[in-house]
Amino acid sequence: MISYARQTQEEQPQAAPPPMEEHIAPAPRVSVQAFCETVETAAAVQAAGEDRRLGKAHLKIQMGGMAAAIEAYRSAPTPNVIVLESDGRSDLLSGLDQLATVCDAGTRVVVIGRINDVMLYRELVRRGVSDYVLAPVGAIDVVRSICNLFSAPEAKAVGRIIAVVGAKGGVGASTISHNVAWAIARDLAMDAVVADLDLAFGTAGLDYNQDPPQGIADAVFSPDRVDTAFIDRLLSKCTDHLSLLAAPATLDRVYDFGTDAFDAVFDTLRSTMPCIVLDVPHQWSGWTKRALIGADDILIVAAPDLANLRNTKNLFDLLKAARPNDRPPLYCLNQVGVPKRPEIAATEFAKAIESQPVVSIPFEPQIFGSAANNGQMIAEISANHKSIEMFLQIAQRLTGRSETKKQKSSLLSPLIEKLRGR
């Protein structure tokens, strides 16, 4: 029996394409070597290697299938993952037995084959094969198979990163991201954290009425110290389900970052939090581009004018091209209906972007201004305000979840709420 791979938990191999809401957690820094027999499979594996979720993996592709793999590892150490393409049954099983004699402990094997047979699948599982994928395969099939080797099925919902960015400065992207995160935590009952990435001018601390002594800057400037315990100490608790990784919002240093400056922070948050909302500042740099492309879902916030339309279109097209195996970004219109201001209609926006906005949030400076000045969310200012339903719609679209059923209120509910607020 091959002892270097864990067994997959599904009893029946799956070849169906993923639903749009499927969440695939990124793979860690692992080495992957694929031995293909057909150029079609090699092309699919090559495309998978360009997917954001395999961005940290080191992928090498060779032709020759099983025979080439056995020969290669007679004199070389095996990688973390071996992907094998095979179209035969007896040759496959005997080849795996030979491969077991030259493989290092801990290596995981994914087999791509053309025989849809449960008995074969069970034989592969008995030999310790991690996954069996039916050919022909697409890039997302390869991505899913490799990534799922490193994430338990029950933990697939953990670590969903949502990035919110403005198409232009001053469009209210931070306000939207903070209120959407509030809806995710309160209405969807998901543990969430808001990471304010605008270190110089971030407003999340003000919006949530928090002034923590430490925050995201401590993690970014001390990457060697970043682990779960360190990040936990930096989080500021806003509600039972919502935490904040605040920006310092000071100008005593310059915040110039390398492309991978936030990687350690995001990786650690992914391992502990079901939902991470990134408040991405309106700037274009290596790290902001990396944060957007690496996110599981993206929301672009735009005002209804020409500059916002152009920028939204540019962002939308770039992100779609860079994330071909993900669903397209979402966008919403904000500050709609400013008196005496000419605006581009939502229908025109949708025609140019080739996608409908999730919601169009009306311009209401009094309630939004009061919330900002008081350090509160819109739901705290006015429990029945129409924008609250819009924030919930955005939250549901970004997370793929429905609103949790609220318990029926009793006569003691008002008293209990008052006691909780004390």
Side-chain angles (χ1 to χ4, degrees):
M1 177 185 293
I2 298 176
S3 60
Y4 47 72
R6 73 176 181 182
Q7 294 183 359
T8 185
Q9 296 190 4
E10 288 92 355
E11 190 64 23
Q12 176 69 30
Q14 300 292 326
M20 292 298 287
E21 298 294 342
E22 181 183 17
H23 174 56
I24 303 174
R29 299 182 189 278
V30 292
S31 57
V32 182
Q33 291 187 12
F35 294 85
C36 304
E37 292 187 343
T38 64
V39 293
E40 291 80 9
T41 297
V45 176
Q46 181 65 44
E50 298 169 0
D51 188 275
R52 62 177 180 85
R53 285 157 289 208
L54 293 181
K56 295 180 181 179
H58 179 71
L59 176 64
K60 182 179 179 181
I61 303 172
Q62 296 176 232
M63 303 303 290
M66 180 72 72
I70 295 171
E71 184 62 32
Y73 299 130
R74 291 189 192 279
S75 57
T78 50
N80 302 111
V81 180
I82 299 174
V83 179
L84 293 170
E85 183 183 12
S86 174
D87 57 5
R89 177 169 182 165
S90 58
D91 291 341
L92 171 60
L93 297 179
S94 61
L96 287 172
D97 291 339
Q98 293 182 58
L99 186 62
T101 64
V102 296
C103 266
D104 301 329
T107 297
R108 300 171 181 182
V109 173
V110 173
V111 175
I112 299 173
R114 288 172 170 74
I115 301 175
N116 187 6
D117 181 70
V118 172
M119 295 305 296
L120 172 62
Y121 181 73
R122 287 175 176 167
E123 280 297 315
L124 296 176
V125 170
R126 191 174 67 83
R127 283 168 165 79
V129 168
S130 299
D131 196 12
Y132 181 68
V133 185
L134 281 174
V137 296
I140 192 63
D141 300 313
V142 179
V143 170
R144 184 194 306 109
S145 181
I146 295 174
C147 290
N148 284 354
L149 297 178
F150 303 94
S151 62
E154 66 272 11
K156 284 184 181 178
V158 174
R160 192 182 194 95
I161 289 185
I162 295 169
V164 183
V165 66
K168 192 171 177 284
V171 297
S174 290
T175 298
I176 301 301
S177 67
H178 303 162
N179 279 276
V180 168
W182 182 273
I184 291 172
R186 187 191 71 164
D187 299 319
L188 305 185
M190 291 179 66
D191 286 335
V193 60
V194 174
D196 191 343
L197 304 186
D198 190 352
L199 273 68
F201 303 107
T203 59
L206 295 176
D207 285 353
Y208 290 120
N209 196 26
Q210 300 286 325
D211 187 22
Q214 295 177 302
I216 194 167
D218 298 89
V220 175
F221 288 108
S222 304
D224 296 338
R225 298 176 58 195
V226 173
D227 58 21
T228 301
F230 183 65
I231 292 294
D232 283 345
R233 290 197 298 270
L234 302 181
L235 293 177
S236 175
K237 197 169 184 64
C238 301
T239 69
D240 288 343
H241 289 289
L242 183 64
S243 299
L244 170 65
L245 195 54
T250 59
L251 304 179
D252 55 352
R253 64 169 73 181
V254 176
Y255 303 106
D256 291 333
F257 301 122
T259 301
D260 59 353
F262 289 87
D263 283 7
V265 178
F266 297 163
D267 290 345
T268 304
L269 288 172
R270 275 190 187 275
S271 67
T272 58
M273 277 287 179
C275 186
I276 304 101
V277 179
L278 305 182
D279 182 1
V280 183
H282 178 73
Q283 64 183 67
W284 197 241
S285 61
W287 70 265
T288 54
K289 180 180 178 181
R290 185 180 179 93
L292 291 171
I293 292 176
D296 295 293
D297 282 288
I298 304 163
L299 176 70
I300 303 169
V301 180
D305 62 31
L306 184 60
N308 276 272
L309 176 57
R310 178 201 63 188
N311 294 353
T312 300
K313 176 67 173 173
N314 288 343
L315 279 169
F316 202 89
D317 291 346
L318 181 141
L319 292 171
K320 278 185 65 177
R323 306 163 74 252
N325 301 313
D326 293 90
R327 67 173 177 177
L330 304 177
Y331 76 97
C332 72
L333 296 178
N334 191 33
Q335 302 173 354
V336 175
V338 174
K340 300 182 180 180
R341 182 183 70 176
E343 295 182 349
I344 297 176
T347 53
E348 295 301 316
F349 244 88
K351 187 183 300 183
I353 308 298
E354 298 180 346
S355 176
Q356 294 290 334
V358 184
V359 296
S360 294
I361 303 172
F363 176 68
E364 296 193 42
Q366 184 171 355
I367 189 166
F368 279 84
S370 296
N373 289 337
N374 294 340
Q376 293 177 297
M377 297 294 99
I378 301 300
E380 295 178 290
I381 293 286
S382 176
N384 297 316
H385 194 266
K386 56 187 176 182
S387 65
I388 298 173
E389 181 62 31
M390 296 182 183
F391 296 140
L392 178 57
Q393 289 179 43
I394 296 173
Q396 290 171 328
R397 288 285 300 276
L398 290 170
T399 62
R401 291 197 177 191
S402 300
E403 184 178 7
T404 58
K405 293 182 179 180
K406 298 180 180 179
Q407 296 180 347
K408 293 182 179 180
S409 59
S410 66
L411 294 175
L412 296 177
S413 295
L415 178 60
I416 293 174
E417 290 299 321
K418 287 182 179 180
L419 290 174
R420 284 177 177 172
R422 294 180 67 178

